[in-house]
């Protein structure tokens, strides 16, 4: 057994009650408010409910739940019992959810009532289904909590599997990523404490949901490490909805993704604090933040965005900009506690400014993929995790994203980053979103092909002229050989349920 907190439940839940913070508010959703003491009591009843249902230690349970207070009750209650919660993306098609239920061999499914109708066929894969009413009204979930008394904390090794997360599956079926108990505290001790600087009196609001790694850290691990409060929002985070939440709850820290930041900047009501007079810090991950969005957000809202990169495999952000050290257009530097390298196809470190694959070493790396031995060996190599992201590092030590390794284009014998072209296009006031892929021309040579979603205010009467303008804009910004030879205007871009652009669909 390695050094660490043992069962992560004790550090994140019981510790606050022992140390006198039980009355502090942990979670607020549109219907309810939950203190740390109430969370401890409810999650202990949930753990007892698992035992009463015959769900033993190390079995898996699936959580297809909206962001309400029932989610942390179920997640931490499972950890208390030594049972492994598997949060599942609530936006996935029913057949993919069914695949995950079967792949994980979940002993039970805990599902929010509005999501159940679409999942009924998939739910047949599990023996027990418990439905949660988001508003907390009486139902199967409240009965589950009432039926088992209280369950003592299960002793666990820090190296024991605590929970699974499924990868986004942008190019295939999702993979089950197994994380251990100590990884939760590791991300809190590194990114949350030493980059984000979260404090007990902070109020956290994350547009990114609890079901994937970025949102899980933002809304649970980080605030719960210091006894802070989280605002939970179960609905789709549209700009209108997010701004309303900002005005109502006045969070001090906001977490979003680049697409949302761009959409909010296009909103007529965006202004100082984005609605919150207490806003002091914003963070972004999921995809790289275009440079001009960072500058515009700072100018309009008054706070910087700390752009970083993490992954399901590493649980949260391991490379980031940080307060007083922000260089927009880059992903910053390694988070304290993590080591980074950029390597070529043979695993050798590349020179400054040369592109290669980013690999990371750190305390929150997953224990591997479930039932995917070959993929585990390809990703987790000794102490280093291979990200599949292409990066460069400049002379000052800042890392710059170039794209996924399989997205890079070689144009005229020179490597071209699709993201660099996309960032140049998005820098034009007519463009809301852009995606760039490789396309073979009549001579069999690969050139950039751009798909563009225009801003609502952009002119559409002469798209040929706009195409020429955008091509010239890219030439002027990043180089004449990098401009998109073809530009296609569309209403939307294909994305995963977590908002990442599916370039493979554009290539086809």
């Amino acid at each position: 057994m390695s050094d660490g907190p043992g069962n992560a439940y004790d550090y994140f839940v019981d510790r606050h009650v022992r140390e006198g913070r039980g009355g502090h508010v942990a979670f607020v959703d549109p219907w309810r408010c939950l203190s740390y003491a109430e969370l401890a009591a409810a999650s202990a009843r949930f753990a007892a409910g698992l035992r009463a249902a015959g769900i033993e230690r190390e079995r898996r349970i699936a959580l297809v739940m909206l962001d309400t207070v029932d989610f942390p009750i179920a997640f931490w209650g499972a950890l208390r019992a030594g049972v492994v919660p598997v949060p599942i993306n609530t936006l996935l098609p029913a057949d993919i959810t069914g695949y995950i239920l079967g792949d994980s061999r979940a002993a039970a499914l805990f599902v929010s009532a509005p999501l159940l109708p679409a999942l009924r066929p998939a739910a047949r894969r599990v023996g027990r289904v418990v439905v949660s009413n988001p508003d907390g009204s009486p139902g199967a979930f409240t009965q589950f909590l009432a039926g088992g008394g209280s369950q003592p904390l299960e002793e666990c090794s820090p190296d024991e599997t605590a929970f699974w997360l499924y990868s986004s599956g942008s190019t295939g079926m999702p993979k089950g990523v197994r994380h251990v108990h100590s990884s939760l505290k590791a991300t809190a001790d590194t990114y949350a404490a030493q980059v984000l600087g979260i404090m007990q009196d902070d109020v956290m609001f994350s547009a990114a949901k609890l079901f994937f790694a970025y949102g899980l850290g933002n809304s649970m691990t980080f605030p719960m490490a210091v006894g802070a409060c989280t605002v939970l929002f179960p609905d789709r985070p549209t700009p209108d909805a997010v701004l309303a939440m900002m005005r109502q709850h006045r969070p001090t820290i906001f977490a979003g993704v680049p697409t949302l930041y761009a959409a909010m900047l296009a909103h007529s009501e965006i202004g100082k604090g984005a609605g919150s007079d207490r806003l002091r810090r914003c963070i972004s991950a999921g995809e790289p933040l275009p440079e001009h969005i960072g500058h515009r957000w700072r100018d309009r809202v008054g706070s910087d965005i700390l752009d970083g990169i993490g992954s399901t495999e590493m649980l949260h952000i391991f490379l980031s900009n940080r307060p007083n050290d922000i260089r927009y257009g880059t992903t910053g530097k390694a988070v304290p506690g993590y080591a980074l390298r950029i390597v070529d196809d043979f695993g050798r470190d590349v020179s400054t400014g040369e592109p290669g694959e980013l690999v990371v070493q750190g305390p929150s790396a997953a224990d591997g993929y479930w039932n995917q031995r070959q993929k585990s060996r390809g990703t987790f190599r000794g102490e280093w995790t291979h990200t599949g992201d292409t990066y460069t590092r400049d002379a000052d030590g800042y890392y710059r994203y170039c794209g996924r390794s399989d997205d890079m284009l070689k144009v005229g014998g020179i490597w071209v980053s699709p993201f660099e072209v996309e960032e140049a296009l998005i820098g034009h006031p007519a463009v809301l979103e852009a995606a760039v892929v490789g396309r073979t021309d009549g001579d069999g040579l690969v050139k950039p092909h751009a798909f563009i979603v225009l801003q609502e205010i952009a002119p559409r009467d002469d798209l040929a002229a706009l195409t020429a303008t955008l091509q010239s804009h890219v030439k002027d910004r990043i180089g004449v050989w990098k401009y998109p030879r073809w530009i296609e205007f569309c209403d939307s871009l294909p994305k995963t349920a977590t908002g990442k652009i599916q370039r493979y669909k554009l290539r086809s």
Side-chain angles (χ1 to χ4, degrees):
M1 183 184 296
S2 65
D3 294 334
N7 191 323
Y9 178 97
D10 183 69
Y11 179 80
F12 287 96
V13 183
D14 278 350
R15 176 174 62 95
H16 296 299
V17 179
R18 283 198 307 271
E19 296 176 359
R21 292 181 293 276
H24 292 199
V25 175
F27 296 99
V28 177
D29 69 21
W31 302 278
R32 291 172 285 169
C33 177
L34 195 70
S35 70
Y36 279 92
E38 290 168 334
L39 172 62
S43 55
R45 294 196 303 271
F46 186 90
L50 292 174
R51 286 291 181 265
I55 300 174
E56 300 297 327
R57 178 173 173 165
E58 299 183 7
R59 293 295 305 276
R60 272 84 64 190
I61 61 169
L63 310 182
V64 186
M65 304 180 74
L66 300 172
D67 279 26
T68 72
V69 300
D70 285 347
F71 187 110
I73 289 171
F75 183 92
W76 294 107
L79 263 64
R80 182 182 178 93
V83 172
V84 179
V86 184
I88 298 177
N89 188 331
T90 60
L91 305 175
L92 289 175
D95 60 330
I96 303 298
T97 300
Y99 166 81
I100 293 174
L101 293 174
D103 185 65
S104 65
R105 302 171 192 163
L109 166 65
F110 293 82
V111 56
S112 295
L115 306 175
L116 181 61
L119 293 180
R120 287 194 187 278
R124 298 192 185 104
R125 290 176 174 265
V126 296
R128 181 175 185 131
V129 178
V130 179
V131 181
S132 158
N133 294 324
D135 63 0
S137 58
F141 192 85
T142 54
Q143 292 171 8
F144 189 86
L145 294 181
S150 181
Q151 177 71 23
L153 178 69
E154 192 76 31
E155 290 296 327
C156 296
S157 161
D159 294 335
E160 188 171 328
T161 298
F163 62 101
W164 294 7
L165 296 171
Y166 271 78
S167 65
S168 60
S170 60
T171 57
M173 282 298 188
K175 301 182 292 293
V177 182
R178 297 176 288 119
H179 278 289
V180 300
H181 280 267
S182 59
S183 290
L184 289 165
K185 186 172 184 295
T187 59
D189 289 344
T190 53
Y191 177 82
Q194 301 182 62
V195 175
L196 184 59
I198 194 168
M199 300 181 291
Q200 184 176 306
D201 59 356
D202 274 315
V203 176
M204 184 80 189
F205 174 41
S206 173
K209 301 298 185 182
L210 285 163
F211 56 68
F212 65 105
Y214 179 48
L216 188 75
N218 298 340
S219 292
M220 284 213 304
T221 313
F222 299 165
M224 291 183 70
V226 295
C229 173
T230 294
V231 176
L232 296 177
F233 181 60
D235 298 327
R236 183 168 169 261
T238 64
D240 281 333
V242 169
L243 288 170
M245 292 290 290
M246 298 288 281
R247 288 190 292 267
Q248 179 182 356
H249 294 283
R250 302 167 56 228
T252 58
I253 302 177
F254 173 67
V257 295
T259 301
L260 178 59
Y261 282 112
M264 290 177 70
L265 282 169
H267 196 283
S268 60
E269 296 180 13
I270 194 70
K272 184 73 172 177
S276 172
D277 59 352
R278 300 189 299 187
L279 185 68
R280 70 180 186 89
R281 190 148 295 160
C282 298
I283 63 175
S284 178
E287 285 198 314
L289 183 77
E291 181 177 355
H292 85 281
I293 291 178
H295 287 299
R296 287 176 57 208
W297 185 267
R298 182 181 60 197
D299 293 343
R300 295 283 298 277
V301 176
S303 62
D304 277 303
I305 301 174
L306 307 183
D307 183 36
I309 185 175
S311 67
T312 307
E313 288 78 4
M314 293 302 296
L315 190 53
H316 212 275
I317 293 171
F318 53 82
L319 166 62
S320 182
N321 286 272
R322 61 201 69 196
N324 304 316
D325 187 12
I326 293 174
R327 187 170 294 188
Y328 286 122
T330 79
T331 323
K333 297 180 179 179
V335 169
Y338 293 85
L340 302 173
R341 296 168 56 208
I342 300 176
V343 301
D344 63 17
D345 292 341
F346 301 98
R348 300 173 300 203
D349 291 289
V350 303
S351 303
T352 298
E354 184 179 348
E357 184 187 10
L358 182 70
V359 298
V360 54
Q361 177 194 70
S364 61
D367 200 33
Y369 299 123
W370 167 250
N371 279 352
Q372 298 269 3
R373 182 169 182 255
Q374 195 59 36
K375 290 182 178 179
S376 292
R377 295 174 71 179
T379 298
F380 306 100
R381 306 183 198 177
E383 295 185 342
W384 294 92
T385 299
H386 285 245
T387 67
D389 292 308
T390 299
Y391 264 83
T392 61
R393 184 179 55 246
D394 65 23
D396 296 325
Y398 293 88
Y399 288 75
R400 186 178 294 272
Y401 180 76
C402 299
R404 294 291 295 171
S405 298
D406 52 3
D407 287 336
M408 292 291 288
L409 311 176
K410 205 159 198 178
V411 180
I414 302 173
W415 284 112
V416 172
S417 159
F419 177 72
E420 185 182 19
V421 183
E422 292 165 4
E423 188 175 36
L425 286 165
I426 295 170
H428 191 279
V431 178
L432 178 63
E433 293 182 310
V436 172
V437 300
R439 174 178 165 182
T440 305
D441 66 13
D443 296 320
L445 302 173
V446 174
K447 299 291 189 296
H449 181 173
F451 296 82
I452 287 176
V453 178
L454 292 173
Q455 298 271 10
E456 286 187 13
I457 61 172
R460 290 167 168 78
D461 54 335
D462 191 346
L463 293 180
L466 182 56
T467 295
T469 298
L470 293 174
Q471 289 173 324
S472 296
H473 176 76
V474 173
K475 292 177 184 177
D476 294 340
R477 288 283 296 270
I478 60 174
V480 295
W481 72 96
K482 298 181 181 180
Y483 80 95
R485 285 16 174 219
W486 307 272
I487 292 181
E488 194 168 327
F489 298 97
C490 45
D491 294 330
S492 62
L493 299 175
K495 296 176 182 176
T496 68
T498 55
K500 296 181 181 179
I501 295 171
Q502 295 173 307
R503 290 175 179 81
Y504 76 96
K505 289 188 176 180
L506 297 175
R507 282 193 291 266
S508 64

